[in-house]
Amino acid sequence: MAYHQLGLLVTLLVTLLCVQGGPSIASPPFQRGQRLDRVAWHDDDWFLLGYNYPWHEYNKDFLPGSGQNVRANYARIDAQLADLRAHGTHVTRWYVFNDASAYPAFDGRGQVAGLSPQFLQQFDDAVALASAHGIYLIPVLLDGENLMRWDNPGAQPAVLTDSAVRQTFLERAVRPLLERYGRHPAVLAWSVLNEPEYFADGLNPQSDRLRVPRETVAAYIREATQLIHRYARQPAALDVGLPWVGAWQGLGLDLYLGHWYPWMADYWPEYSPYTRPARTLGVDRPIVIGEFATAATPYSLTESLDRFYAHGYAGALAWCYPNNTDRWCDYAGTKDALRAWEQAHLAEVDVRPRGDRLGIAAQEPRVIADWEAAGDPDGWTLEWGGGRALAQTARHAYTGTGALAVQATLEGPGWHDVAVARWFPASHDLSRGSNTLRLWVWLPPSAPPGLLGQVGVFDAQRQLRFGPEIPLTPGSWTTVPWAGAPLAGVRGLVVSIGGNDVRFAGELLLDHLTVR
C-alpha cells in the first residue's frame, strides 16, 4: 500500500537472507519455460500493465448488507472499470479480506467459520464486472499493512500468526474462493499477502505493527501457496517491497509483485527498479512492479514504464485508481500517458487467449433491441405492475432516433414497479463475450429519487433471474448493466423499473439493450 512509514534500516545481509522451512514447491502445470521478464498466461508471455484498483471501499466491497458493497455500487464500479480499461489497464489488484475485520465470519472460539453466500455474491459481481471490461484480476488475500497494526483493534492477525486459526482461514475462507474461481478466466493470479516486511522480524518491522517471527510469516505464505496450487490453475504471488523480495525464496511462489516508492531510494537506492535489472535481484520467478508512484516522484509515468520494461521486469501496476487517493497517486494526470504507452506496446500487454487478440473490451456489442422502427415495439409488451401503455417513440433516444416509451403509474406504500418483457417462441442462446447485458433508461426530471432499474432473464423453464438493482437518475439516461448474465438458454427478457414508497406517474424510456 502506498502510505508506508519509514522504518528501521536493515543491513544488506539480512535483506538477502532466504526464509528457511521446507522444500521448494513445484510450479503449477500451466507455467512454461523460464522467462523471467514476462508472465506466462494463455499460452503466451505478457507484460502486465495497468493501475491498481485496490478497492471501491476498504473492508466493505464484499460486506453483506452494506450500502458500500459491490452490488450496491454496481453501476459506479462498472463505470470505473470501463474508465480504467479505456486508459490502458489490462491487469489490476483487488484486495479481498484486508485486515479480516469485516470478513470472513468468525465463530465463538475465534476461528474462521466461513464465507456467507452474500460475500460470494459480491465477489461474483466483482469478477463479472472486471471480465466484462476485459480486465484481469489479481486478488490480494490479506493486507499486512493493516492486519498487524497495534492501533487497529478490529483486525484479526491470528489468521496469520496462530497456526490453528490460520488453518481455518485457509480451509474455510481461501479454499472456497479457489474452488469457485481457481479456473476463472478473469483471475490471473492470487497474491497471498501484501507487504509482510513491515511486521516480519528481521526485515523492516515498524513500531506501530506487531512483530511476527519470520518463520511464522513464511509458514502462512507456504501454506497459502500450496492451497493455490492444489485448487487453482493460476499462479501464487506475493506483494513485497523490492528491497525484501529475496527474503521469501523457497516457498513455492510463482510470481513476485514488487513495490517501489520514492522514499525507498533514500535507504536502499541499490534496489531501485529505475537502475537495477530484475535478473540481478536473485529470484527465480518473474517480478512485476506491483505498485509504483505516479505522484511525488522524479519520474514521469512514461519514463517509469520505459525503465521497468528495459530492466526486465514482467509488468507494472501504477498506484492507483482514485478510490484510494494519497500523496503517491495521480491517476488523472497520468492516465493518458499510460494509454499511449499501452498502445505502443499492445502486442505485449493485451492479455488474451489466442484467437481473441482484440479481447472482450474491444468486441462490438450485439444489439438485442434498439426500437428504431417507427411504431414497432419489437415484440415487447407490458408484463406486470403499474404500466398503462407501451409504444415506440422518436421523441427522445439514447442512440439513433428511437426508444421504447412506457407510461407508468407507481404509487402507494411498499414496493411498486412496472415490468416489460420480450418472449421468444423457443429458447435462445444469447451468449457473447462476458455475457454482459446493458440497457439505458431515461427518467423525466420530475421523477422522484429512489427508482431502481433491473434487467432480467427467463430461462428455458420460465424461471426468472434478475441482475443488480441500479439507482436511476431523474432527468438523464442511466446505464443498467448485468455482467455475467445467464444467457445460454433464454426464453424471455424483462426490464423492471420500480421502488419502495415512491409516487410516479409519467413516461419513462428504454433504449439500446445489448449483450457483449
Side-chain angles (χ1 to χ4, degrees):
M1 204 176 299
Y3 40 88
H4 309 306
Q5 301 295 319
L6 300 187
L8 301 176
L9 181 62
V10 296
T11 66
L12 179 61
L13 177 63
V14 172
T15 300
L16 294 177
L17 285 175
C18 293
V19 176
Q20 301 300 314
S24 178
I25 303 167
S27 297
F30 73 86
Q31 292 283 349
R32 59 182 187 80
Q34 296 298 318
R35 187 171 180 179
L36 297 182
D37 63 342
R38 296 292 183 270
V39 174
W41 190 242
H42 284 320
D43 297 320
D44 219 328
D45 297 306
W46 305 98
F47 186 91
L48 307 188
L49 181 68
Y51 284 91
N52 278 278
Y53 186 93
W55 51 76
H56 174 261
E57 191 75 25
Y58 193 84
N59 269 340
K60 296 179 181 178
D61 286 352
F62 312 115
L63 184 63
S66 170
Q68 298 301 317
N69 63 27
V70 176
R71 177 56 66 103
N73 293 274
Y74 199 90
R76 176 181 171 83
I77 295 172
D78 175 66
Q80 291 181 340
L81 294 176
D83 180 48
L84 280 165
R85 184 62 184 82
H87 290 94
T89 291
H90 293 261
V91 179
T92 194
R93 294 162 65 239
W94 197 327
Y95 288 34
V96 183
F97 297 110
N98 303 306
D99 58 8
S101 64
Y103 33 70
F106 287 80
D107 62 23
R109 297 176 298 166
Q111 297 186 335
V112 173
L115 302 176
S116 69
Q118 293 79 16
F119 175 96
L120 293 172
Q121 176 64 70
Q122 306 304 320
F123 203 87
D124 286 350
D125 288 342
V127 174
L129 284 168
S131 178
H133 295 288
I135 294 177
Y136 287 81
L137 293 180
I138 301 177
V140 181
L141 296 179
L142 286 175
D143 176 21
E145 170 72 22
N146 284 314
L147 181 68
M148 297 297 174
R149 283 186 177 273
W150 286 106
D151 59 355
N152 185 9
Q156 298 286 344
V159 297
L160 190 154
T161 60
D162 185 295
S163 61
V165 177
R166 183 168 71 238
Q167 289 306 308
T168 64
F169 171 69
L170 292 172
E171 281 296 315
R172 299 173 187 174
V174 177
R175 179 177 168 180
L177 279 185
L178 298 176
E179 290 179 327
R180 194 176 183 95
Y181 296 101
R183 295 176 180 268
H184 197 288
V187 177
L188 189 144
W190 299 88
S191 175
V192 299
L193 180 62
N194 182 58
E195 297 177 347
E197 62 270 19
Y198 296 107
F199 58 87
D201 198 23
L203 296 184
N204 190 34
Q206 305 294 293
S207 61
D208 60 350
R209 312 293 205 287
L210 296 171
R211 183 170 292 194
V212 181
R214 193 144 47 112
E215 294 77 9
T216 300
V217 183
Y220 164 78
I221 295 172
R222 183 186 304 110
E223 291 164 12
T225 296
Q226 289 174 329
L227 200 69
I228 291 168
H229 289 172
R230 187 174 304 130
Y231 293 105
R233 297 288 295 180
Q234 303 99 342
L238 177 70
D239 279 281
V240 57
L242 274 181
W244 306 281
V245 71
W248 306 107
Q249 297 294 284
L251 301 177
L253 292 160
D254 309 298
L255 181 64
Y256 294 90
L257 304 174
H259 299 186
W260 184 262
Y261 286 93
W263 66 265
M264 293 178 174
D266 295 334
Y267 292 83
W268 305 279
E270 67 274 20
Y271 287 96
S272 171
Y274 292 92
T275 57
R276 183 165 182 171
R279 68 178 182 276
T280 67
L281 289 171
V283 300
D284 59 356
R285 289 293 186 266
I287 302 173
V288 171
I289 303 300
E291 293 183 14
F292 69 95
T294 56
T297 170
Y299 301 98
S300 70
L301 183 133
T302 300
E303 186 174 9
S304 294
L305 295 176
D306 284 345
R307 294 223 188 174
F308 302 156
Y309 181 90
H311 289 153
Y313 293 92
L317 305 180
W319 191 262
C320 64
Y321 197 77
N323 290 337
N324 181 56
T325 54
D326 57 30
R327 63 175 298 201
W328 308 113
C329 178
D330 182 16
Y331 177 75
T334 59
K335 62 182 181 179
D336 290 337
L338 191 138
R339 169 65 172 168
W341 201 93
E342 175 232 13
Q343 289 298 298
H345 299 81
L346 195 58
E348 296 174 279
V349 304
D350 189 22
V351 184
R352 303 297 172 201
R354 290 181 180 176
D356 183 27
R357 189 63 85 206
L358 290 177
I360 291 170
Q363 290 181 3
E364 287 296 321
R366 173 185 173 184
V367 178
I368 298 176
D370 220 13
W371 298 289
E372 291 295 294
D376 183 6
D378 198 21
W380 289 77
T381 59
L382 294 171
E383 186 68 14
W384 71 72
R388 295 185 283 109
L390 176 152
Q392 189 271 352
T393 180
R395 290 190 300 276
H396 190 34
Y398 175 73
T399 63
T401 59
L404 187 67
V406 181
Q407 298 290 335
T409 300
L410 308 174
E411 59 185 359
W415 176 267
H416 292 272
D417 66 352
V418 55
V420 299
R422 165 73 188 275
W423 289 93
F424 302 110
S427 294
H428 276 45
D429 186 353
L430 299 180
S431 300
R432 181 178 177 84
S434 64
N435 284 348
T436 300
L437 285 172
R438 188 178 299 276
L439 175 75
W440 291 86
V441 178
W442 182 83
L443 295 181
S446 59
L451 286 172
L452 306 171
Q454 286 179 289
V455 291
V457 170
F458 289 100
D459 65 17
Q461 288 73 44
R462 295 177 179 258
Q463 296 297 309
L464 175 61
R465 289 182 61 185
F466 266 120
E469 295 178 336
I470 305 300
L472 303 175
T473 303
S476 69
W477 288 96
T478 302
T479 182
V480 179
W482 184 10
L487 300 180
V490 176
R491 190 62 189 275
L493 297 167
V494 64
V495 176
S496 168
I497 310 296
N500 276 310
D501 303 328
V502 296
R503 299 182 64 87
F504 171 73
E507 181 181 79
L508 55 89
L509 303 178
L510 313 179
D511 199 10
H512 203 56
L513 176 61
T514 63
V515 59
R516 183 167 72 180

